[in-house]
């Protein structure tokens, strides 16, 4: 049989298998899609350096790149299956079966798997094998048969496309946006207005409050969970005196506050972009835990997302006076966007997000660090992860050409729970110079800085370092983000012209 035919058979069979699994997953659970399950498993198994590279290189598009790469690999396997099956259908059948079983295994390995979930990868397995066998049988050499083969192939390809689209529509049938639109958040305690002198964005820093659509996103979710507020439930259990199951309305009935808080991701390299600030609206997490009655010895709050991701937060950080830890329902005056954790997420200032900022939150268990290792702790990351003192140059940009003479250099700094006392800069290894700080909003937010420098024409390097209110100055010793946050001075290389 001609290679072009068997390659086409392999490609169409792979598409049919994926579409069938996606369609059935749309009926039972979107997370049961074998394609997504394999992708999530790939994320779990990817070595840290590769993950760091993906986040650093592709940012929030890292998941799209992963899915695209998976599609290319599956297409390549379809080509291989076809080439191996020019004389007999058995090599391709065996490969289709192996891929189907991998899908079954990936779904079974997911923490959200139910008894119904396995139907989706089984459908993918059966359809993939059946499509390959049937198309191979329909590929005779005679001219009349060639037309029949092409029609059969086109029909299966079209069916695969419709099935995939149907699965996508079924997965999105829950009208989460309507649920969001029906919510009005009325905090009893509103965040103070941001003073004009707290924001140096006119001089090159970010705006003090990050727009919701610009707020950084780093998580393991290949697809954004779709959970309506009306359907949301959260269980509070474990080492508590009063186990609770809360609804969204239960949270709305509790005293609601609005706090201005900066969040930062542990994946943030020195000078990285994964830091944002918002006015979060929510209920006090310490008050909720006091109502549950935290038992002696409970030192970790283990939280779980609706997609099965787990997080562990030190109880002492949550319960510390002035922690501002909350269950957030909104940000910047509106309910949480889907990508930022709707309906409910956790926010604990002063800790990197992987131990403090569970999105799509559905479960809270009081436990101990000895008894439970959450997702990233299982992979060797730090268990407590306080945010480190850090500063960043935002103006000028790397390799930017700027006018010689008087020039404003500006940036941001943060030292949560302690506050920034000062930021210094130096040019070309010269003496450190004090910058002017913006008005402080609170110790849980970033703080802007600026300085006017006289620059001679030529290439320059500017560095910055911050000192917190306890007198600690950030170290120049370089450390990678993993396991518990990057360290080092940020620098920018630029050129003055004139």
């Amino acid at each position: 049989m001609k290679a072009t035919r068997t390659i086409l058979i392999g490609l169409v069979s792979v598409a049919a298998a994926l579409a069938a699994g996606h369609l059935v997953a749309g009926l039972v659970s979107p997370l049961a899609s074998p394609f997504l399950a394999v992708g999530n498993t790939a994320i779990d198994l990817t070595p840290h350096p590769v993950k760091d590279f993906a986040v650093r290189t592709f940012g929030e598009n890292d998941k799209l790149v992963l899915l695209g790469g998976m599609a290319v690999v599956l297409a390549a396997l379809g080509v291989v299956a076809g080439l191996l099956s020019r004389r007999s259908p058995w090599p391709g059948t065996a490969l289709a079966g192996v891929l189907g079983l991998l899908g079954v295994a990936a779904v079974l390995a997911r923490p959200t798997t139910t008894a119904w979930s396995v139907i989706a990868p089984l459908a993918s397995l059966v359809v993939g094998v059946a499509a390959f066998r049937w198309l191979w049988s329909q590929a005779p050499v005679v001219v009349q048969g060639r037309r029949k083969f092409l029609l059969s192939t086109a029909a299966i390809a079209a069916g695969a496309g419709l099935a995939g689209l149907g699965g996508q529509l079924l997965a999105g049938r829950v009208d989460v946006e309507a649920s969001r639109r029906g919510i009005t958040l009325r905090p009893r305690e509103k965040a103070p207005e941001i003073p004009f002198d707290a924001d140096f964005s006119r001089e090159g820093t970010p705006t003090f409050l990050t727009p919701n659509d610009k707020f950084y996103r780093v998580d393991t979710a290949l697809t954004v969970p779709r959970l309506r507020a009306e359907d949301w439930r959260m269980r509070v259990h474990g080492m508590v005196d009063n186990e609770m199951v809360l609804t969204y309305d239960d949270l709305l009935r509790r005293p609601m506050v609005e706090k201005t808080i900066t969040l930062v991701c542990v994946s943030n390299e020195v000078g990285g972009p994964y830091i944002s600030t918002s006015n979060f609206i929510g209920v006090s997490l310490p008050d909720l835990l006091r109502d549950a009655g935290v038992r002696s010895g409970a030192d970790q709050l283990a939280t779980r997302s609706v997609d099965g991701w787990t997080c562990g937060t030190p109880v002492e950080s949550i319960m510390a006076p002035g922690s501002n830890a909350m269950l957030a329902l909104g940000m910047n005056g509106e309910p949480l966007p889907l990508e930022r954790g709707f309906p409910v997420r956790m926010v604990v200032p002063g800790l990197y997000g992987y131990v403090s900022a569970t999105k799509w939150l559905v479960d809270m268990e009081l436990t101990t660090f000895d008894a439970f290792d959450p997702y990233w702790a299982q992979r060797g990351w730090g268990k407590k992860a306080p945010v480190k003192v850090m500063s960043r140059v935002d103006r000028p940009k790397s390799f930017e050409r700027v006018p010689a003479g008087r020039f404003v250099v500006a940036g941001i700094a943060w030292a949560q729970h302690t506050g920034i006392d000062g930021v210094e800069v130096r040019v070309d290894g010269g003496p450190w110079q004090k910058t002017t700080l913006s008005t402080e909003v609170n110790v849980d937010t970033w703080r802007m800085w600026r300085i006017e420098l006289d620059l001679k024409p030529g290439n320059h390097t500017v560095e910055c370092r911050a000192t917190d209110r306890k007198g600690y100055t950030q170290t120049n010793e370089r450390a990678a983000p993993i396991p518990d946050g990057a360290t080092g001075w940020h620098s920018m290389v630029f050129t003055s012209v004139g």
Side-chain angles (χ1 to χ4, degrees):
M1 191 182 300
K2 289 184 178 181
T4 52
R5 290 194 185 187
T6 54
I7 289 174
L8 186 58
I9 290 171
L11 290 172
V12 172
S13 299
V14 166
L18 292 176
H22 204 59
L23 177 62
V24 175
L27 293 169
V28 296
S29 167
L31 296 175
S33 169
F35 185 62
L36 297 180
V38 169
N40 281 313
T41 302
I43 289 175
D44 293 348
L45 298 178
T46 299
H48 298 323
V50 178
K51 286 181 181 176
D52 294 342
F53 170 79
V55 171
R56 187 169 59 251
T57 305
F58 304 112
E60 294 188 14
N61 295 317
D62 59 338
K63 299 171 186 65
L64 289 176
V65 172
L66 171 63
L67 292 174
M70 287 173 53
V72 170
V73 169
L74 288 171
L77 290 173
V79 171
V80 170
L83 290 174
L84 293 176
S85 302
R86 295 182 65 186
R87 296 182 180 276
S88 167
W90 287 110
T93 303
L95 185 55
V98 169
L99 290 176
L101 291 174
L102 284 175
V104 172
V107 170
L108 289 174
R110 302 314 303 161
T112 54
T113 294
T114 66
W116 293 102
S117 299
V118 75
I119 297 175
L122 286 176
S124 187
L125 169 61
V126 171
V127 169
V129 171
F132 189 89
R133 297 284 300 188
W134 189 74
L135 285 174
W136 199 94
S137 71
Q138 296 295 308
V141 179
V142 296
V143 175
Q144 293 85 351
R146 188 177 303 142
R147 296 193 188 96
K148 181 179 179 182
F149 166 72
L150 291 175
L151 287 173
S152 300
T153 304
I156 291 181
L162 290 174
L165 177 61
Q168 198 65 23
L169 292 174
L170 287 170
R173 67 186 182 277
V174 178
D175 196 347
V176 181
E177 286 298 342
S179 179
R180 285 186 72 249
R181 288 193 297 270
I183 296 169
T184 301
L185 301 175
R186 298 185 177 89
R188 297 183 186 180
E189 176 189 333
K190 297 205 70 175
E193 292 291 326
I194 305 300
F196 177 79
D197 289 336
D199 188 328
F200 285 177
S201 58
R202 57 193 176 277
E203 302 201 86
T205 71
T207 58
F208 194 90
L209 291 177
T210 309
N212 288 351
D213 62 342
K214 301 296 183 183
F215 205 96
Y216 81 87
R217 180 192 170 197
V218 179
D219 54 51
T220 63
L222 272 179
T223 57
V224 176
R226 301 180 63 83
L227 180 62
R228 299 192 312 160
E230 299 91 320
D231 302 325
W232 182 83
R233 299 290 185 275
M234 184 183 72
R235 183 184 175 207
V236 184
H237 60 109
M239 298 173 67
V240 296
D241 295 327
N242 307 303
E243 185 171 318
M244 298 187 290
V245 176
L246 299 171
T247 66
Y248 197 84
D249 284 341
D250 290 333
L251 294 186
L252 291 177
R253 284 190 285 268
R254 298 180 72 90
M256 197 166 295
V257 297
E258 183 179 46
K259 301 284 186 181
T260 309
I261 296 170
T262 294
L263 295 184
V264 58
C265 180
V266 73
S267 298
N268 215 34
E269 299 275 357
V270 173
Y274 301 121
I275 178 169
S276 302
T277 301
S278 178
N279 281 336
F280 286 100
I281 303 170
V283 301
S284 167
L285 181 53
D287 286 352
L288 190 149
L289 294 186
R290 277 189 280 268
D291 290 346
V294 180
R295 292 179 184 169
S296 177
D299 59 9
Q300 178 178 213
L301 177 65
T303 51
R304 186 180 298 273
S305 168
V306 70
D307 64 358
W309 184 82
T310 54
C311 170
T313 310
V315 171
E316 64 179 353
S317 296
I318 297 171
M319 304 304 289
S323 75
N324 285 330
M326 66 165 65
L327 295 185
L329 285 71
M331 53 194 295
N332 291 335
E334 65 178 71
L336 291 170
L338 270 63
E339 296 82 0
R340 316 303 166 194
F342 182 83
V344 179
R345 69 173 295 164
M346 195 164 73
V347 173
V348 184
L351 302 176
Y352 287 115
Y354 79 97
V355 299
S356 68
T358 306
K359 294 185 282 192
W360 314 293
L361 178 64
V362 294
D363 188 87
M364 296 173 55
E365 179 183 4
L366 272 299
T367 182
T368 66
F369 283 105
D370 290 336
F372 177 73
D373 281 337
Y375 184 91
W376 287 116
Q378 294 173 26
R379 290 152 178 83
W381 293 25
K383 290 190 174 184
K384 297 190 176 180
V387 173
K388 297 176 179 177
V389 180
M390 188 61 66
S391 57
R392 185 181 81 188
V393 178
D394 286 285
R395 184 187 190 222
K397 300 299 183 185
S398 184
F399 302 111
E400 183 179 358
R401 294 168 65 85
V402 305
R406 205 72 172 163
F407 181 79
V408 174
V409 175
I412 58 174
W414 58 96
Q416 289 184 312
H417 287 341
T418 305
I420 291 293
D421 190 58
V423 176
E424 299 167 289
V425 303
R426 68 178 182 181
V427 180
D428 302 329
W432 289 101
Q433 304 177 59
K434 289 185 177 181
T435 67
T436 299
L437 295 178
S438 67
T439 299
E440 183 179 74
V441 173
N442 65 60
V443 295
D444 287 332
T445 65
W446 54 19
R447 197 169 181 184
M448 279 62 177
W449 56 265
R450 68 181 298 278
I451 186 171
E452 292 186 23
L453 299 174
D454 285 315
L455 300 174
K456 296 179 180 179
N459 296 327
H460 299 289
T461 299
V462 61
E463 299 170 283
C464 65
R465 67 181 186 185
T467 300
D468 69 15
R469 203 150 288 144
K470 292 181 179 179
Y472 174 78
T473 300
Q474 70 178 96
T475 177
N476 187 34
E477 183 178 344
R478 282 277 174 162
I482 308 306
D484 60 359
T487 62
W489 297 337
H490 187 220
S491 63
M492 283 289 187
V493 177
F494 64 101
T495 302
S496 295
V497 294

Short mmCIF file of all heavy atoms in Angstrom, two decimals, residues 10 23 47 81 92 101 103 117 126 140 200 235 246 257 267 286 289 308 336 403 406 408 411 429 465 497:
data_model
loop_
_atom_site.label_atom_id
_atom_site.label_comp_id
_atom_site.label_asym_id
_atom_site.label_seq_id
_atom_site.Cartn_x
_atom_site.Cartn_y
_atom_site.Cartn_z
N GLY A 10 -3.22 6.98 9.51
CA GLY A 10 -2.71 7.21 10.86
C GLY A 10 -3.13 8.55 11.42
O GLY A 10 -3.58 8.66 12.57
N LEU A 23 -15.22 14.39 23.24
CA LEU A 23 -16.69 14.47 23.23
C LEU A 23 -17.26 13.80 24.47
O LEU A 23 -18.13 14.37 25.14
CB LEU A 23 -17.23 13.79 21.96
CG LEU A 23 -18.75 13.71 21.84
CD1 LEU A 23 -19.37 15.11 21.80
CD2 LEU A 23 -19.16 12.91 20.61
N PRO A 47 10.69 17.98 34.45
CA PRO A 47 11.72 18.43 35.39
C PRO A 47 11.66 19.94 35.62
O PRO A 47 11.26 20.70 34.74
CB PRO A 47 13.03 18.04 34.69
CG PRO A 47 12.65 16.97 33.71
CD PRO A 47 11.26 17.30 33.27
N ALA A 81 2.72 5.36 12.67
CA ALA A 81 1.79 4.22 12.62
C ALA A 81 1.45 3.87 11.18
O ALA A 81 1.38 2.70 10.80
CB ALA A 81 0.53 4.55 13.41
N GLY A 92 0.19 -0.51 13.20
CA GLY A 92 -0.59 0.68 13.53
C GLY A 92 -1.65 0.42 14.57
O GLY A 92 -1.91 1.25 15.45
N LEU A 101 -4.18 3.20 25.75
CA LEU A 101 -3.93 2.76 27.12
C LEU A 101 -3.20 3.84 27.92
O LEU A 101 -3.44 4.00 29.13
CB LEU A 101 -3.14 1.46 27.12
CG LEU A 101 -3.90 0.23 26.61
CD1 LEU A 101 -2.96 -0.97 26.51
CD2 LEU A 101 -5.07 -0.10 27.54
N GLY A 103 -3.67 6.99 27.49
CA GLY A 103 -4.74 7.92 27.85
C GLY A 103 -5.53 7.43 29.05
O GLY A 103 -5.86 8.21 29.96
N SER A 117 -15.17 8.85 34.79
CA SER A 117 -14.11 9.50 34.02
C SER A 117 -13.46 8.57 33.00
O SER A 117 -13.07 9.00 31.91
CB SER A 117 -13.04 10.07 34.96
OG SER A 117 -13.58 11.04 35.83
N VAL A 126 -11.10 2.81 21.84
CA VAL A 126 -11.92 2.00 20.92
C VAL A 126 -12.03 2.68 19.56
O VAL A 126 -11.85 2.04 18.51
CB VAL A 126 -13.30 1.75 21.53
CG1 VAL A 126 -14.23 1.10 20.50
CG2 VAL A 126 -13.20 0.87 22.76
N PRO A 140 -7.95 -0.03 -1.04
CA PRO A 140 -7.45 -0.90 -2.11
C PRO A 140 -6.66 -0.08 -3.14
O PRO A 140 -6.68 1.15 -3.13
CB PRO A 140 -8.73 -1.46 -2.73
CG PRO A 140 -9.74 -0.39 -2.50
CD PRO A 140 -9.40 0.20 -1.17
N PHE A 200 4.15 55.68 40.42
CA PHE A 200 5.14 56.33 39.56
C PHE A 200 5.03 55.84 38.11
O PHE A 200 6.00 55.90 37.35
CB PHE A 200 6.56 56.06 40.07
CG PHE A 200 6.95 56.86 41.29
CD1 PHE A 200 8.19 56.65 41.89
CD2 PHE A 200 6.10 57.80 41.83
CE1 PHE A 200 8.56 57.38 43.02
CE2 PHE A 200 6.45 58.53 42.97
CZ PHE A 200 7.69 58.31 43.56
N ARG A 235 -15.45 22.44 51.83
CA ARG A 235 -15.43 21.72 53.09
C ARG A 235 -14.23 22.17 53.92
O ARG A 235 -13.11 22.25 53.42
CB ARG A 235 -15.35 20.21 52.82
CG ARG A 235 -15.40 19.34 54.06
CD ARG A 235 -15.20 17.89 53.68
NE ARG A 235 -15.14 17.02 54.84
CZ ARG A 235 -14.51 15.86 54.88
NH1 ARG A 235 -13.88 15.42 53.80
NH2 ARG A 235 -14.49 15.13 55.98
N LEU A 246 -19.27 25.10 53.47
CA LEU A 246 -19.71 26.46 53.17
C LEU A 246 -20.17 26.59 51.73
O LEU A 246 -19.60 25.98 50.83
CB LEU A 246 -18.58 27.45 53.43
CG LEU A 246 -18.04 27.51 54.86
CD1 LEU A 246 -16.78 28.36 54.91
CD2 LEU A 246 -19.10 28.08 55.80
N VAL A 257 -14.33 42.42 53.45
CA VAL A 257 -13.38 43.52 53.48
C VAL A 257 -12.69 43.63 52.12
O VAL A 257 -12.71 42.69 51.31
CB VAL A 257 -12.32 43.32 54.58
CG1 VAL A 257 -12.96 43.31 55.95
CG2 VAL A 257 -11.53 42.04 54.35
N SER A 267 8.20 31.60 40.80
CA SER A 267 8.90 31.43 39.52
C SER A 267 9.52 32.72 39.01
O SER A 267 10.21 32.72 38.00
CB SER A 267 7.91 30.90 38.46
OG SER A 267 7.42 29.62 38.82
N PRO A 286 -8.46 34.13 58.89
CA PRO A 286 -8.28 33.84 60.31
C PRO A 286 -9.60 33.73 61.07
O PRO A 286 -9.77 32.83 61.91
CB PRO A 286 -7.44 35.02 60.82
CG PRO A 286 -6.70 35.49 59.61
CD PRO A 286 -7.65 35.28 58.46
N LEU A 289 -11.21 30.37 60.30
CA LEU A 289 -10.54 29.27 60.98
C LEU A 289 -10.83 29.30 62.48
O LEU A 289 -10.95 28.23 63.11
CB LEU A 289 -9.04 29.32 60.73
CG LEU A 289 -8.59 29.06 59.29
CD1 LEU A 289 -7.07 29.00 59.20
CD2 LEU A 289 -9.20 27.78 58.73
N GLY A 308 -7.94 19.47 41.49
CA GLY A 308 -7.13 18.52 42.24
C GLY A 308 -5.79 19.04 42.70
O GLY A 308 -5.10 18.36 43.46
N LEU A 336 -14.11 37.73 40.95
CA LEU A 336 -12.88 37.20 40.37
C LEU A 336 -13.09 36.80 38.92
O LEU A 336 -14.09 36.14 38.60
CB LEU A 336 -12.42 35.96 41.14
CG LEU A 336 -11.91 36.14 42.57
CD1 LEU A 336 -11.76 34.77 43.23
CD2 LEU A 336 -10.59 36.89 42.57
N PRO A 403 18.09 59.42 26.05
CA PRO A 403 18.86 60.67 25.87
C PRO A 403 19.94 60.81 26.94
O PRO A 403 19.72 60.48 28.12
CB PRO A 403 17.80 61.76 26.02
CG PRO A 403 16.49 61.07 25.85
CD PRO A 403 16.68 59.68 26.33
N ARG A 406 20.21 64.52 31.91
CA ARG A 406 19.32 64.22 33.04
C ARG A 406 18.29 63.19 32.62
O ARG A 406 17.56 63.38 31.64
CB ARG A 406 18.62 65.51 33.48
CG ARG A 406 18.17 65.50 34.93
CD ARG A 406 19.35 65.61 35.85
NE ARG A 406 18.92 65.80 37.25
CZ ARG A 406 19.71 65.60 38.28
NH1 ARG A 406 20.96 65.20 38.09
NH2 ARG A 406 19.27 65.81 39.51
N VAL A 408 15.48 60.02 34.25
CA VAL A 408 14.83 59.39 35.41
C VAL A 408 14.90 57.88 35.27
O VAL A 408 14.42 57.31 34.29
CB VAL A 408 13.36 59.84 35.54
CG1 VAL A 408 12.67 59.05 36.67
CG2 VAL A 408 13.29 61.33 35.84
N GLY A 411 11.62 52.20 39.26
CA GLY A 411 11.32 50.78 39.42
C GLY A 411 10.43 50.53 40.61
O GLY A 411 9.78 51.44 41.13
N GLY A 429 28.86 50.34 38.38
CA GLY A 429 29.65 49.93 39.53
C GLY A 429 30.11 51.06 40.42
O GLY A 429 30.95 50.86 41.31
N ARG A 465 19.11 47.87 44.66
CA ARG A 465 18.98 47.00 45.82
C ARG A 465 18.06 47.68 46.82
O ARG A 465 18.05 48.91 46.94
CB ARG A 465 20.34 46.69 46.45
CG ARG A 465 21.03 47.87 47.09
CD ARG A 465 22.39 47.49 47.66
NE ARG A 465 22.98 48.62 48.40
CZ ARG A 465 24.20 48.61 48.93
NH1 ARG A 465 24.98 47.53 48.79
NH2 ARG A 465 24.66 49.66 49.59
N VAL A 497 22.48 58.33 24.47
CA VAL A 497 22.90 58.93 23.20
C VAL A 497 22.62 60.44 23.27
O VAL A 497 21.68 60.89 23.91
CB VAL A 497 22.17 58.32 22.00
CG1 VAL A 497 22.55 56.87 21.82
CG2 VAL A 497 20.66 58.45 22.15
#
